[in-house]
C-alpha cells in the first residue's frame, strides 16, 4: 500500500471552523484510491489458477463486518450485499480485477465491479495526527474504506441510476453496476489544492463524530515530510497508489467500461443509465 499523506496545509480551501481544526490551522489530507467490488451469484471458473482461486475464495468468505451491508435497489427492495473494498495496488484488487477482465462474458459473474478507481481523501489535522505512525495511517485508510461503503450505498439507492438486484448479483455481467454508478461517483469529487480530484471527508474518531483524537508525541515533527505522490510535475492528476496496480486488468476494464457507456444495455430499460 503506497497511499501517502499530503504535506500539511495542502487543503487550504477548508478552514478550521468547517472541519474543527483548532487555532485556525489548515488541514492536510490523506489520499487513497480504492477498488470496489461486490460478491455476486456466480461461481469461480474452473480455469482459475489454484493460487488465485484460493485468494479469491478468501475474498468471498472473509468479508469485514463494515463491508457486509444492505442496499436499496431501484425497485425499492432492500437486499444484502457483500462489498469488498481494496487499495487499488493491492494483491486482492489485482486478483479480482484480473478475474473480471478475463471472464467478461460469465453470467452470473462471481464479482461485479462497483468502482474501479475511487479517489478518496481523508482530511486530518497534521498537528494532532502523526502519519509516520503506521497505525494512524491504517486507521485513516480504514475510515476511507468505511466511507466508501456509505457512498456506494447511497449511489445504488439513487433510483434514477436503475441499479437492480440482477445487476448486483452478476446476472448482467460484471461491469453493469460500475457503468451505472460512474458519473454519479465522479460528481462527488472536488479539486484539492496541489492537483487532483477526490471525494473529501474529515477524519473521525471511532467512538464519536469529533475529529480524530490527538496522539501524544515528544520531539516528533509536526508532520512527516512526504512528497505529493499524486501530483506530477506537469500538473496533471496522478492518483496515488496506482503505479503498481495491474496495468492489464486496468486497461481491459477501462476499455470495457467505455464500450458499455456507448452501447445501451440489452437487459431491461436503458433509461436509468449514466450519461458521461
Amino acid at each position: 500500500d503506497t497511499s501517502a499523506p499530503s504535506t500539511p496545509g495542502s487543503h487550504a480551501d477548508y478552514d478550521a471552523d468547517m472541519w474543527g481544526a483548532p487555532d485556525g490551522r489548515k488541514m492536510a489530507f490523506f489520499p487513497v484510491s480504492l477498488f470496489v467490488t461486490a460478491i455476486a451469484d456466480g461461481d469461480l471458473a474452473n480455469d482459475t489458477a489454484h493460487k488465485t482461486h484460493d485468494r479469491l475464495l478468501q475474498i468471498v468468505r472473509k468479508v469485514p463486518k463494515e463491508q457486509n451491508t444492505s442496499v436499496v435497489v431501484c425497485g425499492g427492495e432492500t437486499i444484502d450485499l457483500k462489498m469488498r473494498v481494496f487499495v487499488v495496488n493491492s494483491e486482492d484488487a489485482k486478483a479480482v480485477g484480473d478475474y473480471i477482465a478475463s471472464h467478461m462474458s460469465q453470467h452470473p459473474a462471481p464479482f461485479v465491479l462497483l468502482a474501479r478507481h475511487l479517489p478518496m481523501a481523508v482530511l486530518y489535522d497534521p498537528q494532532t495526527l502523526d502519519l509516520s505512525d503506521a497505525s494512524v495511517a491504517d486507521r485513516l485508510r480504514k475510515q476511507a474504506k468505511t466511507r466508501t461503503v456509505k457512498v456506494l450505498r447511497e449511489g445504488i439507492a439513487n433510483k434514477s441510476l436503475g441499479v437492480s438486484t440482477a445487476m448486483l448479483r452478476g446476472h448482467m455481467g460484471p461491469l453493469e453496476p460500475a457503468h451505472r454508478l460512474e458519473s454519479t461517483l465522479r460528481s462527488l469529487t472536488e479539486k484539492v489544492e496541489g492537483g487532483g480530484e477526490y471525494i473529501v471527508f474529515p477524519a473521525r474518531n471511532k467512538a464519536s463524530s469529533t475529529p480524530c483524537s490527538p496522539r501524544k508525541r515528544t520531539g516528533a515533527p509536526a508532520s512527516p515530510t512526504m512528497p505529493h505522490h499524486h501530483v506530477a510535475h506537469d500538473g496533471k492528476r496522478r492518483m496515488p497508489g496506482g503505479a503498481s496496480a495491474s496495468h492489464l486488468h486496468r486497461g481491459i476494464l477501462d476499455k470495457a467500461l467505455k464500450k458499455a457507456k456507448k452501447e445501451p444495455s440489452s437487459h431491461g430499460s436503458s433509461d436509468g443509465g449514466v450519461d458521461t
Side-chain angles (χ1 to χ4, degrees):
D1 188 349
T2 58
S3 302
S6 67
T7 51
S10 61
H11 206 299
D13 291 340
Y14 292 93
D15 58 26
D17 291 338
M18 182 180 296
W19 298 109
D23 305 322
R25 289 197 295 265
K26 292 180 179 179
M27 303 291 280
F29 65 94
F30 179 87
V32 57
S33 294
L34 300 173
F35 176 97
V36 192
T37 187
I39 298 168
D41 284 348
D43 296 322
L44 295 175
N46 293 330
D47 62 357
T48 309
H50 180 72
K51 186 176 180 180
T52 301
H53 188 276
D54 289 347
R55 179 179 286 275
L56 293 174
L57 278 182
Q58 289 292 96
I59 290 171
V60 169
R61 292 172 178 173
K62 294 188 176 181
V63 181
K65 62 180 181 180
E66 64 273 10
Q67 296 176 30
N68 193 349
T69 186
S70 62
V71 296
V72 178
V73 295
C74 62
E77 63 180 323
T78 299
I79 65 170
D80 292 330
L81 189 67
K82 294 181 179 180
M83 293 188 197
R84 296 310 316 267
V85 185
F86 306 113
V87 175
V88 294
N89 63 343
S90 67
E91 289 299 317
D92 286 338
K94 180 181 181 299
V96 176
D98 283 348
Y99 183 92
I100 290 174
S102 59
H103 296 84
M104 290 289 195
S105 61
Q106 185 176 355
H107 295 74
F111 301 99
V112 292
L113 186 67
L114 300 182
R116 186 192 64 78
H117 204 276
L118 191 66
M120 303 291 291
V122 191
L123 285 170
Y124 72 97
D125 182 354
Q127 298 299 313
T128 60
L129 287 180
D130 177 13
L131 266 71
S132 64
D133 183 337
S135 66
V136 174
D138 285 344
R139 179 152 60 96
L140 294 184
R141 195 174 292 111
K142 184 175 181 180
Q143 288 184 26
K145 291 182 178 182
T146 300
R147 176 57 68 100
T148 292
V149 172
K150 179 178 184 292
V151 168
L152 266 299
R153 289 181 73 244
E154 291 173 351
I156 292 169
N158 184 341
K159 292 183 179 180
S160 68
L161 302 185
V163 180
S164 67
T165 299
M167 292 177 192
L168 294 175
R169 298 304 190 216
H171 294 273
M172 296 173 68
L175 299 182
E176 188 65 20
H179 164 49
R180 300 282 177 136
L181 292 163
E182 184 178 13
S183 292
T184 293
L185 295 176
R186 188 184 302 118
S187 72
L188 300 177
T189 63
E190 52 191 292
K191 293 182 180 180
V192 297
E193 185 177 335
E197 297 181 4
Y198 300 86
I199 297 175
V200 182
F201 70 98
R204 299 294 181 185
N205 185 297
K206 290 183 179 179
S208 68
S209 60
T210 58
C212 291
S213 301
R215 175 177 176 269
K216 292 183 179 179
R217 294 173 290 162
T218 56
S223 177
T225 301
M226 302 292 290
H228 284 279
H229 290 299
H230 56 289
V231 180
H233 293 299
D234 59 7
K236 295 181 180 179
R237 180 173 59 180
R238 296 290 188 272
M239 290 302 178
S244 61
S246 167
H247 293 291
L248 175 63
H249 88 251
R250 288 169 58 194
I252 294 175
L253 292 181
D254 277 345
K255 290 178 181 178
L257 283 171
K258 289 178 182 178
K259 181 179 179 181
K261 284 189 289 185
K262 293 178 180 179
E263 299 177 356
S265 173
S266 60
H267 302 269
S269 172
S270 61
D271 293 341
V274 179
D275 295 326
T276 56

